[in-house]
Amino acid sequence: MSVRRQQRGAYESFLLHNVSQVTALESSLRSMTYVLPGRFKDAELAGEVIYALVHLLGLYHDSVLFRIVYARQRDSDHEALAGALASANLPKISPHARYTSFWRTTQPRYAAAAAALVTTEALQLLAEMLARRRLGERRAWDVVLAIEALKAVLRFTLVRTSQNRPVITPPLPQREFDPAQLEQQATSAIPLTWRGARTHCLRRSLASLGPRDVYEHLLSCTLTEQDVSPPPLLVRPLTKHAARIAEAVWILRPLLYVALLRTYGRRDLRPFAASLLVECLARTLRQHALVQRDTSLSPPTSSISLWLSVLGIENSFLDWLASVLSTQNATQRPVSTVEGDEWIARNRSLWWYLLRGPVWYRWTRPKLAGFVARTEHRRIIGLLGSVIKEYLPLIDDYYYYSAM
């Protein structure tokens, strides 16, 4: 165990000392996989193998960087990096990272379910490709159905372990800064850090910053309401039955869609229409659960009511109506950027329906095929058209190329 720990510590030290080069290599490999399809036989399979491995390795690197840079869980092997971390102008931890890291550290089941979910999502397309090559069309749909069932179970586990809160995507902290900021400028003649005489804490020296950098550095250190709020308060729990049903419907939606695709096929209208209706139902139930309906109590004074009083308009009905509208608007707004970003992502997922079912085969695909035909003999834009041309049959054949 000690040998394995030493090896892991050595790799983490290597990662932190060469983080810019490692990140550039990851980005280059990911970019290469986007243009591999169609270059040679089974190029899409080779590209997906590379992409899955790089994605999994990137997830591990993200966890290492977050644990050492933000969580400050450094052992003796990482103490030599304290000066570089203190001198780096790193952004403060985001609300999303605070929220997901809180549940990951306090709930072991959440950590296990989140890790299993991101790993499954990284390997799902590769698993579908191998299943369609080795098992055939029918059994490949069984593999996709099993993957979606596993993801649904893991998402329900995340809801349960986060005390009935909706699933946040991604469920683990991500890389939130440029790794090049960790590189210490050794050529600077001005000390980059200073150590407190009593606390012995290492901090960045303001003398090493320019006037503008000092302002930006101090501005980045300011705290907002989200920064001081406890992490569980960044996402509201599902207290109402409508909210719980909405989350359950949203989680089960992909499983229902795949089951209908397995039965009726990808060109049939019924899977597409059912999935779209379920998506809209989940969104409607979520909005319905956020509406404040308890108006029996005296509503608080709102900004609209204050403007009515300033204008000299005294009407109890208008005051009541303005307060109720203000209360509803406040309850329907997200309580944090974590919640708001998740709502935006779920609403934006409706665009994926352009790559599905009859809409794909009758509208989107002909449009893209026409674009490819018009740009085939052009120099620069023709390269984009050739890449799109290679992806058209992949979207036809594989479910996870158009899945959320």
Side-chain angles (χ1 to χ4, degrees), residues 249-286:
V249 169
W250 182 81
I251 292 175
L252 294 175
R253 166 191 43 82
L255 183 61
L256 173 64
Y257 181 55
V258 172
L260 293 176
L261 287 178
R262 180 179 176 274
T263 304
Y264 299 106
R266 304 188 65 174
R267 294 179 178 268
D268 197 281
L269 179 62
R270 284 170 287 189
F272 177 86
S275 178
L276 183 59
L277 288 176
V278 169
E279 184 102 20
C280 295
L281 175 62
R283 181 178 179 181
T284 302
L285 288 174
R286 187 197 71 197

Coordinates of all heavy atoms in Angstrom, one line a residue, residues 249-286:
V249 N -39.4 12.0 -13.6 CA -39.8 11.9 -15.0 C -38.5 12.3 -15.8 O -38.3 11.6 -16.8 CB -40.9 12.8 -15.3 CG1 -41.1 13.0 -16.8 CG2 -42.2 12.3 -14.7
W250 N -37.8 13.3 -15.4 CA -36.6 13.7 -16.1 C -35.5 12.6 -16.1 O -34.9 12.4 -17.1 CB -36.0 15.0 -15.5 CG -34.8 15.5 -16.3 CD1 -34.8 16.2 -17.4 CD2 -33.5 15.2 -15.9 NE1 -33.5 16.5 -17.8 CE2 -32.7 15.9 -16.9 CE3 -32.9 14.6 -14.9 CZ2 -31.3 15.8 -16.8 CZ3 -31.5 14.5 -14.8 CH2 -30.7 15.2 -15.8
I251 N -35.4 11.9 -15.0 CA -34.4 10.8 -14.9 C -34.8 9.6 -15.8 O -34.0 9.0 -16.5 CB -34.2 10.4 -13.5 CG1 -33.5 11.6 -12.7 CG2 -33.4 9.2 -13.3 CD1 -33.4 11.3 -11.2
L252 N -36.1 9.3 -15.8 CA -36.6 8.1 -16.5 C -36.8 8.4 -18.0 O -37.0 7.5 -18.8 CB -37.9 7.6 -15.9 CG -37.7 7.1 -14.5 CD1 -39.1 6.7 -13.9 CD2 -36.8 5.9 -14.4
R253 N -36.7 9.7 -18.4 CA -37.0 10.0 -19.8 C -36.1 9.3 -20.8 O -36.6 8.7 -21.8 CB -36.9 11.5 -20.0 CG -36.8 12.1 -21.4 CD -36.5 13.5 -21.4 NE -35.4 13.8 -20.4 CZ -34.1 13.6 -20.7 NH1 -33.7 13.2 -21.8 NH2 -33.2 13.9 -19.8
P254 N -34.8 9.3 -20.6 CA -33.9 8.6 -21.6 C -34.2 7.1 -21.7 O -34.2 6.5 -22.7 CB -32.5 8.8 -21.1 CG -32.6 10.0 -20.2 CD -33.9 9.9 -19.6
L255 N -34.5 6.5 -20.5 CA -34.8 5.0 -20.5 C -36.1 4.7 -21.3 O -36.1 3.7 -22.0 CB -35.0 4.6 -19.0 CG -35.2 3.1 -18.8 CD1 -34.0 2.3 -19.3 CD2 -35.4 2.8 -17.3
L256 N -37.1 5.6 -21.1 CA -38.3 5.4 -21.9 C -38.1 5.5 -23.4 O -38.6 4.8 -24.2 CB -39.4 6.4 -21.4 CG -40.7 6.4 -22.2 CD1 -41.4 5.1 -22.1 CD2 -41.6 7.6 -21.7
Y257 N -37.3 6.5 -23.7 CA -37.0 6.8 -25.1 C -36.3 5.6 -25.8 O -36.6 5.2 -26.9 CB -36.2 8.1 -25.3 CG -35.8 8.5 -26.7 CD1 -36.8 8.6 -27.6 CD2 -34.5 8.7 -27.1 CE1 -36.5 9.0 -28.9 CE2 -34.2 9.1 -28.4 CZ -35.2 9.2 -29.3 OH -34.9 9.6 -30.6
V258 N -35.3 5.1 -25.1 CA -34.5 3.9 -25.7 C -35.4 2.7 -25.8 O -35.3 1.9 -26.8 CB -33.3 3.7 -24.8 CG1 -32.6 2.4 -25.2 CG2 -32.3 4.8 -24.9
A259 N -36.3 2.5 -24.8 CA -37.2 1.3 -24.8 C -38.1 1.5 -26.1 O -38.4 0.4 -26.7 CB -38.0 1.2 -23.6
L260 N -38.6 2.7 -26.3 CA -39.5 2.8 -27.5 C -38.7 2.7 -28.8 O -39.2 2.2 -29.8 CB -40.1 4.2 -27.4 CG -41.2 4.4 -26.3 CD1 -41.7 5.8 -26.2 CD2 -42.3 3.4 -26.4
L261 N -37.4 3.2 -28.8 CA -36.6 3.0 -30.0 C -36.3 1.6 -30.3 O -36.3 1.1 -31.5 CB -35.3 3.8 -29.8 CG -35.3 5.3 -29.9 CD1 -33.9 5.8 -29.7 CD2 -35.8 5.8 -31.3
R262 N -36.1 0.8 -29.3 CA -35.9 -0.6 -29.4 C -37.1 -1.3 -30.0 O -36.9 -2.3 -30.8 CB -35.5 -1.2 -28.1 CG -35.2 -2.7 -28.1 CD -34.8 -3.2 -26.7 NE -34.6 -4.6 -26.6 CZ -35.6 -5.5 -26.4 NH1 -36.8 -5.0 -26.2 NH2 -35.3 -6.8 -26.3
T263 N -38.3 -0.8 -29.7 CA -39.5 -1.5 -30.2 C -39.9 -1.0 -31.6 O -40.3 -1.8 -32.4 CB -40.6 -1.2 -29.2 OG1 -40.2 -1.7 -27.9 CG2 -41.9 -1.9 -29.6
Y264 N -39.9 0.3 -31.8 CA -40.5 0.9 -33.0 C -39.4 1.3 -34.0 O -39.8 1.6 -35.2 CB -41.4 2.1 -32.7 CG -42.5 1.7 -31.8 CD1 -42.5 2.0 -30.4 CD2 -43.6 1.0 -32.3 CE1 -43.6 1.7 -29.6 CE2 -44.7 0.6 -31.5 CZ -44.7 1.0 -30.1 OH -45.7 0.6 -29.3
G265 N -38.2 1.5 -33.6 CA -37.2 2.0 -34.6 C -37.0 3.5 -34.5 O -37.8 4.2 -33.9
R266 N -35.9 4.0 -35.1 CA -35.5 5.4 -35.0 C -36.3 6.3 -35.9 O -36.3 7.5 -35.7 CB -34.0 5.5 -35.2 CG -33.1 4.6 -34.4 CD -31.6 4.9 -34.5 NE -31.3 6.3 -34.1 CZ -30.1 6.8 -34.0 NH1 -29.1 6.0 -34.4 NH2 -29.9 8.0 -33.6
R267 N -36.8 5.7 -37.0 CA -37.6 6.6 -37.9 C -39.0 6.8 -37.5 O -39.7 7.6 -38.1 CB -37.5 6.0 -39.3 CG -36.1 6.0 -39.9 CD -36.1 5.4 -41.3 NE -34.7 5.4 -41.9 CZ -34.3 6.4 -42.6 NH1 -35.1 7.4 -42.9 NH2 -33.1 6.4 -43.1
D268 N -39.5 6.0 -36.5 CA -40.9 6.1 -36.1 C -41.2 7.3 -35.3 O -40.3 7.8 -34.6 CB -41.3 4.8 -35.3 CG -42.8 4.7 -35.2 OD1 -43.4 5.4 -34.4 OD2 -43.3 3.8 -36.0
L269 N -42.4 7.9 -35.5 CA -42.7 9.1 -34.8 C -43.0 8.9 -33.3 O -42.8 9.9 -32.5 CB -43.9 9.8 -35.5 CG -44.5 11.1 -34.9 CD1 -43.4 12.2 -35.0 CD2 -45.7 11.5 -35.6
R270 N -43.4 7.8 -32.9 CA -43.9 7.5 -31.6 C -42.8 7.7 -30.5 O -43.0 8.4 -29.5 CB -44.5 6.2 -31.4 CG -45.9 6.1 -32.0 CD -46.5 4.7 -32.1 NE -45.8 4.0 -33.2 CZ -46.2 2.8 -33.6 NH1 -47.2 2.1 -33.1 NH2 -45.6 2.2 -34.6
P271 N -41.6 7.1 -30.7 CA -40.5 7.4 -29.7 C -40.2 8.9 -29.6 O -40.0 9.4 -28.5 CB -39.4 6.6 -30.2 CG -40.0 5.5 -31.0 CD -41.1 6.2 -31.7
F272 N -40.1 9.6 -30.7 CA -39.7 11.0 -30.7 C -40.8 11.8 -30.0 O -40.5 12.6 -29.1 CB -39.6 11.5 -32.2 CG -39.3 12.9 -32.3 CD1 -38.0 13.4 -32.2 CD2 -40.3 13.8 -32.5 CE1 -37.7 14.8 -32.3 CE2 -40.1 15.2 -32.6 CZ -38.8 15.7 -32.5
A273 N -42.1 11.6 -30.3 CA -43.2 12.4 -29.7 C -43.3 12.1 -28.2 O -43.5 13.0 -27.4 CB -44.5 12.1 -30.4
A274 N -43.1 10.8 -27.9 CA -43.3 10.4 -26.4 C -42.1 11.1 -25.6 O -42.4 11.6 -24.5 CB -43.2 8.9 -26.3
S275 N -40.9 11.0 -26.1 CA -39.8 11.6 -25.4 C -40.0 13.1 -25.3 O -39.7 13.7 -24.2 CB -38.5 11.3 -26.1 OG -37.4 11.9 -25.5
L276 N -40.4 13.8 -26.3 CA -40.6 15.2 -26.3 C -41.7 15.6 -25.3 O -41.6 16.6 -24.6 CB -40.9 15.8 -27.7 CG -41.0 17.3 -27.8 CD1 -39.8 18.0 -27.4 CD2 -41.4 17.6 -29.3
L277 N -42.8 14.9 -25.3 CA -43.9 15.1 -24.4 C -43.4 14.9 -22.9 O -43.8 15.7 -22.0 CB -45.1 14.2 -24.7 CG -45.8 14.6 -26.0 CD1 -46.9 13.5 -26.2 CD2 -46.5 16.0 -25.9
V278 N -42.6 13.9 -22.7 CA -42.2 13.6 -21.3 C -41.2 14.7 -20.9 O -41.2 15.2 -19.7 CB -41.5 12.2 -21.2 CG1 -40.7 12.1 -19.9 CG2 -42.5 11.2 -21.4
E279 N -40.4 15.2 -21.8 CA -39.5 16.3 -21.5 C -40.2 17.6 -21.1 O -39.9 18.3 -20.1 CB -38.6 16.6 -22.7 CG -37.5 17.7 -22.5 CD -36.2 17.1 -22.3 OE1 -35.9 15.9 -22.7 OE2 -35.3 17.8 -21.8
C280 N -41.3 17.9 -21.9 CA -42.1 19.1 -21.6 C -42.9 18.9 -20.3 O -43.1 19.9 -19.5 CB -43.0 19.4 -22.7 SG -42.2 19.8 -24.3
L281 N -43.3 17.7 -20.0 CA -44.0 17.4 -18.8 C -43.1 17.6 -17.6 O -43.5 18.2 -16.6 CB -44.5 16.0 -18.8 CG -45.2 15.5 -17.5 CD1 -46.4 16.3 -17.2 CD2 -45.5 14.0 -17.6
A282 N -41.9 17.2 -17.6 CA -40.9 17.4 -16.5 C -40.7 18.8 -16.3 O -40.6 19.3 -15.2 CB -39.6 16.6 -16.8
R283 N -40.5 19.6 -17.4 CA -40.3 21.0 -17.2 C -41.5 21.7 -16.7 O -41.4 22.6 -15.8 CB -39.9 21.6 -18.6 CG -39.7 23.1 -18.6 CD -39.3 23.6 -19.9 NE -39.0 25.1 -19.9 CZ -38.7 25.8 -21.0 NH1 -38.6 25.2 -22.2 NH2 -38.5 27.1 -20.9
T284 N -42.7 21.4 -17.1 CA -43.9 22.0 -16.6 C -44.1 21.7 -15.1 O -44.5 22.6 -14.3 CB -45.1 21.5 -17.4 OG1 -44.9 21.8 -18.8 CG2 -46.4 22.2 -16.9
L285 N -43.9 20.4 -14.7 CA -44.0 20.1 -13.3 C -43.0 20.8 -12.4 O -43.3 21.2 -11.3 CB -43.9 18.6 -13.2 CG -45.0 17.7 -13.7 CD1 -44.7 16.2 -13.6 CD2 -46.3 18.0 -12.9
R286 N -41.8 21.0 -12.9 CA -40.8 21.7 -12.2 C -41.2 23.2 -11.9 O -41.1 23.7 -10.8 CB -39.5 21.6 -12.9 CG -38.3 22.2 -12.1 CD -37.1 22.5 -13.0 NE -37.4 23.6 -13.9 CZ -36.7 23.9 -15.0 NH1 -35.8 23.1 -15.4 NH2 -37.0 25.0 -15.7

